[in-house]
Amino acid sequence: MDKFLALTEEKRLTILNAAFQCFGKFGYEKASINDIAVAAHISKASVFQYFGSKKQLYIYLLEYCKKIIEGIFDKESLNSQTDLFDRILASSHMKMEGLQNQPFILQFITSAWEETSPEVADTLAILTEEASGFRNDLVLREEDALKFKNPEDAQPVFQMLLLMAEGYAARYRGAAAFDFQAVMEDFEENIAILRKNFYKEEYQK
């Protein structure tokens, strides 16, 4: 790993993008170190020299994405929002804007959600749990349930929105282009429907 970190930033990004692209397109099992090496214009031996194994490279990419995504969110701005749906929309805009210029990372993340390889299952399970905790801390507040007609609906609605967001990403996996504006407009329309149906009348906009 030290040898990889010693490379120029441009060279590191070239290798990472090649790996993101290959794993994102083919999944863990079918992506090969040779494919990644060819895409990065380096030797297969160099990839092993930098990362040790395909699994270690994959884990490095997962951790790299985790840092990128967590750095996208402006927690102070989100904390200033007093409404659950407003925080979800704001956080979604932050994520979309942060990733729209990094299509290979988005493709890789979507692929990782669907990954079933037992070789990386444990790592994915841990990171998924960590991501869930981070997401909950980012947007959920105890007082959010008070605005719902039935307070116990708050958590299921939140989970519904997370599944919806994952569905949008999965729909565009492998697509030539990702229409971020169209996705956000559709997401906002669905949030408006949920707000109308689940919130008490005095909290509806």
Side-chain angles (χ1 to χ4, degrees):
M1 190 62 66
D2 289 341
K3 291 183 178 180
F4 173 72
L5 297 176
L7 298 173
T8 64
E9 181 179 7
E10 182 179 5
K11 190 65 175 179
R12 291 198 306 273
L13 288 176
T14 297
I15 295 170
L16 291 177
N17 282 331
F20 282 133
Q21 185 177 20
C22 288
F23 282 122
K25 184 176 181 180
F26 301 114
Y28 181 79
E29 295 286 355
K30 293 183 178 180
S32 71
I33 292 297
N34 187 63
D35 291 334
I36 294 169
V38 170
H41 306 292
I42 59 175
S43 69
K44 182 177 177 180
S46 292
V47 179
F48 284 113
Q49 186 179 42
Y50 296 146
F51 299 100
S53 68
K54 184 167 84 165
K55 180 178 180 179
Q56 287 304 118
L57 169 57
Y58 192 80
I59 291 173
Y60 181 84
L61 296 178
L62 290 171
E63 293 287 353
Y64 182 89
C65 286
K66 178 185 174 184
K67 291 178 182 178
I68 290 290
I69 291 174
E70 290 183 357
I72 283 172
F73 298 104
D74 182 345
K75 293 184 179 180
E76 184 176 347
S77 176
L78 291 175
N79 285 335
S80 69
Q81 302 281 351
T82 59
D83 182 80
L84 171 63
F85 289 115
D86 288 342
R87 285 195 300 276
I88 290 173
L89 273 176
S91 65
S92 298
H93 275 290
M94 290 174 189
K95 187 173 182 179
M96 286 292 187
E97 290 171 3
L99 292 178
Q100 64 180 331
N101 295 320
Q102 303 190 66
F104 294 145
I105 289 182
L106 181 60
Q107 186 181 44
F108 174 76
I109 293 170
T110 305
S111 174
W113 284 340
E114 302 171 356
E115 185 56 61
T116 59
S117 172
E119 190 171 350
V120 292
D122 289 346
T123 300
L124 285 169
I126 292 171
L127 287 175
T128 298
E129 185 175 353
E130 290 177 352
S132 178
F134 174 79
R135 205 164 42 216
N136 288 355
D137 292 342
L138 194 67
V139 298
L140 279 181
R141 306 290 181 269
E142 288 185 10
E143 61 271 20
D144 289 332
L146 299 176
K147 295 183 179 181
F148 282 74
K149 296 173 184 176
N150 297 307
E152 63 271 18
D153 287 337
Q155 186 65 36
V157 168
F158 178 61
Q159 294 302 320
M160 189 188 307
L161 288 165
L162 293 180
L163 290 172
M164 191 184 300
E166 292 177 5
Y168 285 128
R171 184 195 306 174
Y172 286 90
R173 183 184 177 189
F178 192 110
D179 191 337
F180 287 90
Q181 183 175 350
V183 168
M184 288 308 304
E185 288 176 355
D186 191 42
F187 193 49
E188 288 175 9
E189 288 177 5
N190 282 294
I191 281 184
I193 293 170
L194 291 173
R195 190 194 300 269
K196 181 178 180 180
N197 283 278
F198 286 95
Y199 263 10
K200 295 174 183 176
E201 187 173 353
E202 62 265 33
Y203 296 114
Q204 295 180 20
K205 293 184 178 180

